[in-house]
Amino acid sequence: MWHPPDGIVLISDPRVTAIPVHDNGEPLVEVRGRLRLDDRMADEEGAYGRLRDGLLDRLERAEKELPAGYHLLIVEGHRSIANQRQTYDDYRAELAQRFPSMTPGELDAAASRYVSPVEVAPHTAGAAVDLTLCAADGTEYDMGTAINETPEQSAGGCYTAASGISGDARGNRKILASALESAGLVNYPTEWWHWSYGDRYWALMTGSPHALYGPA
């Protein structure tokens, strides 16, 4: 039987899905013009470049905490429900083909390491951001894997605490984490690049009685 990695609470965990949502009504706002925005995940509606106002405020605070020469590079913020569902279904189907002995429940859990089920997806709430670090000229720092590499593609290197990455990459992940944690964000530990604020996963990890943001 498949089990999640030791010590990692997956976003599909019943403790996450049980968290109530009391949306505070904050608008989605544009990242562009406030922080560096990469276009690799651009969608026709431009959703990728929008975040809840409170989250973007915290990212600006985190940017100021970075060492000289380091900057946040935002890759993807808000994601439509349709886009989220398609991404989840595609990855789950890929896993089913690769691991035919997995039960439906195991497939659901394994898929949630990389992409959230729609019901709890923080990207659809504008509450999650995929990001990395770059220099002033836009050159990205070594983080050990590319953003959005699956656990299979990266041999587990996408996990935030992965051991099989270089010392430089591990140091850069610590720099990113220090700035974002100081601004109140939480990491999804299967993806070093995925951080959130105000969603159900954040609520569980911080002990908040409810999430601040629902689907936007």
Side-chain angles (χ1 to χ4, degrees), residues 33-55:
R34 294 175 65 175
L35 291 172
R36 289 165 174 80
L37 179 64
D38 184 271
D39 290 338
R40 78 191 73 172
M41 297 300 293
D43 58 293
E44 290 184 4
E45 294 79 25
Y48 80 105
R50 300 186 192 112
L51 292 167
R52 292 286 189 137
D53 197 22
L55 172 54

Side-chain angles (χ1 to χ4, degrees), residues 167-186:
D168 284 348
R170 192 172 297 110
N172 289 332
R173 291 187 186 189
K174 287 180 179 178
I175 289 171
L176 181 66
S178 177
L180 294 174
E181 287 171 355
S182 71
L185 279 70
V186 300

Side-chain angles (χ1 to χ4, degrees), residues 45-132:
E45 294 79 25
Y48 80 105
R50 300 186 192 112
L51 292 167
R52 292 286 189 137
D53 197 22
L55 172 54
L56 186 51
D57 285 345
R58 283 164 176 78
L59 290 171
E60 288 182 314
R61 193 183 313 161
E63 169 86 3
K64 294 182 176 70
E65 295 296 319
L66 291 170
Y70 284 80
H71 300 276
L72 298 178
L73 180 63
I74 310 302
V75 174
E76 188 174 20
H78 184 239
R79 194 182 292 157
S80 71
I81 290 175
N83 189 351
Q84 183 75 31
R85 181 175 289 114
Q86 187 67 56
T87 304
Y88 180 85
D89 290 348
D90 287 350
Y91 182 52
R92 190 182 184 282
E94 177 186 321
L95 290 173
Q97 186 172 19
R98 183 178 292 210
F99 305 108
S101 63
M102 275 190 174
T103 67
E106 289 169 343
L107 284 170
D108 290 342
S112 73
R113 296 169 305 160
Y114 177 66
V115 58
S116 303
V118 170
E119 312 83 68
V120 293
H123 278 287
T124 66
V129 60
D130 295 339
L131 76 175
T132 188

